[in-house]
Amino acid sequence: DTGVSQDPRHKITKRGQNVTFRCDPISEHNRLYWYRQTLGQGPEFLTYFQNEAQLEKSRLLSDRFSAERPKGSFSTLEIQRTEQGDSAMYLCASSLMGDTQYFGPGTRLTVL
Amino acid sequence: SQQGEEDPQALSIQEGENATMNCSYKTSINNLQWYRQNSGRGLVHLILIRSNEREKHSGRLRVTLDTSKKSSSLLITASRAADTASYFCATDADNQGGKLIFGQGTELSVKP
């Protein structure tokens, strides 16, 4: 499978815990994007990387959120001190520069 | 913030009929992309239309783009029950690093 993969697919956690999600993009893609989607809404942009550089962060990304792409390949998104409002589907996408973005299956986070 | 407004929000048709979904946006764009999402799953890329293109076809899909009206439409011909899904338009706006701004989507139900 040469598509975008995300791990885990589902995560249930208690409020206040930290969680980390991983995204593996399509291998030759230099751009990697994170989005968040809540029920009944379209995805909302969180942040993106070009190679290992994080070029933009949405104001949706509070101080509790951090993302990395240390070697310009896979990326991680960490949420510290989770809140119930963080419950959502977290989607990762990759592209070659500004071309078509290919999405992974998403990580569904439930914060109890 | 949501750039795209989609119309209708929900559409129910019989198998074999055509389905048309519309998308309006606010700023100038590099391209507009349409995605499909089955319930609880990731997004599947359908078609990308660039700002200098007016119409594009892919199988049973036809997309039009009118940059003067800042609108796009997606036509699915001879619909099938398997087309039941949510459909999103997403714009790649000028000077935004390729991030996509999504509409709220159209929920299509195709009844056999």
Side-chain angles (χ1 to χ4, degrees):
Chain A
D1 188 289
T2 57
V4 179
S5 62
Q6 292 187 245
D7 184 67
R9 295 289 304 277
H10 303 273
K11 179 71 177 177
I12 299 173
T13 191
K14 292 182 179 178
R15 191 174 51 189
Q17 298 294 304
N18 299 345
V19 294
T20 300
F21 310 140
R22 176 179 170 125
C23 171
D24 286 88
I26 293 170
S27 59
E28 65 268 25
H29 285 182
N30 59 346
R31 284 195 179 170
L32 187 149
Y33 301 81
W34 285 98
Y35 295 84
R36 181 172 68 187
Q37 184 179 26
T38 53
L39 201 61
Q41 302 294 315
E44 291 181 294
F45 169 79
L46 292 178
T47 188
Y48 89 98
F49 294 83
Q50 181 163 306
N51 301 313
E52 65 275 9
Q54 188 174 18
L55 296 187
E56 186 176 348
K57 294 194 294 185
S58 163
R59 61 180 181 275
L60 292 175
L61 218 63
S62 76
D63 291 346
R64 297 183 297 105
F65 288 70
S66 63
E68 293 183 343
R69 194 183 183 197
K71 297 181 181 178
S73 56
F74 73 92
S75 175
T76 57
L77 177 68
E78 181 183 15
I79 309 174
Q80 296 183 326
R81 305 181 304 281
T82 52
E83 302 173 355
Q84 287 186 326
D86 297 332
S87 294
M89 175 82 89
Y90 290 83
L91 295 162
C92 174
S94 71
S95 73
L96 199 57
M97 290 308 287
D99 214 332
T100 300
Q101 289 186 29
Y102 294 93
F103 281 78
T107 294
R108 182 169 295 284
L109 173 66
T110 302
V111 181
L112 302 176
Chain B
S1 63
Q2 303 270 334
Q3 146 115 291
E5 297 278 338
E6 294 183 61
D7 172 58
Q9 290 190 348
L11 179 61
S12 181
I13 59 174
Q14 294 294 130
E15 218 169 17
E17 294 180 339
N18 295 343
T20 299
M21 289 160 266
N22 302 296
C23 169
S24 60
Y25 57 92
K26 297 173 186 172
T27 64
S28 60
I29 60 172
N30 294 315
N31 64 63
L32 185 146
Q33 303 183 39
W34 284 91
Y35 288 86
R36 183 185 75 221
Q37 186 177 39
N38 290 87
S39 180
R41 304 279 186 97
L43 284 88
V44 174
H45 183 261
L46 296 177
I47 202 162
L48 180 153
I49 187 164
R50 301 190 189 281
S51 60
N52 61 352
E53 297 175 312
R54 292 296 166 259
E55 187 171 314
K56 216 162 178 183
H57 297 254
S58 176
R60 293 183 296 111
L61 305 180
R62 173 178 168 250
V63 168
T64 62
L65 178 65
D66 186 335
T67 52
S68 66
K69 294 181 180 177
K70 292 187 169 57
S71 67
S72 174
S73 67
L74 170 67
L75 169 68
I76 303 174
T77 60
S79 63
R80 306 166 181 167
D83 295 328
T84 294
S86 293
Y87 291 81
F88 294 93
C89 70
T91 51
D92 173 358
D94 282 346
N95 302 315
Q96 293 295 310
K99 71 183 182 190
L100 295 178
I101 307 297
F102 285 82
Q104 290 190 318
T106 293
E107 195 172 326
L108 174 65
S109 174
V110 182
K111 300 188 186 307

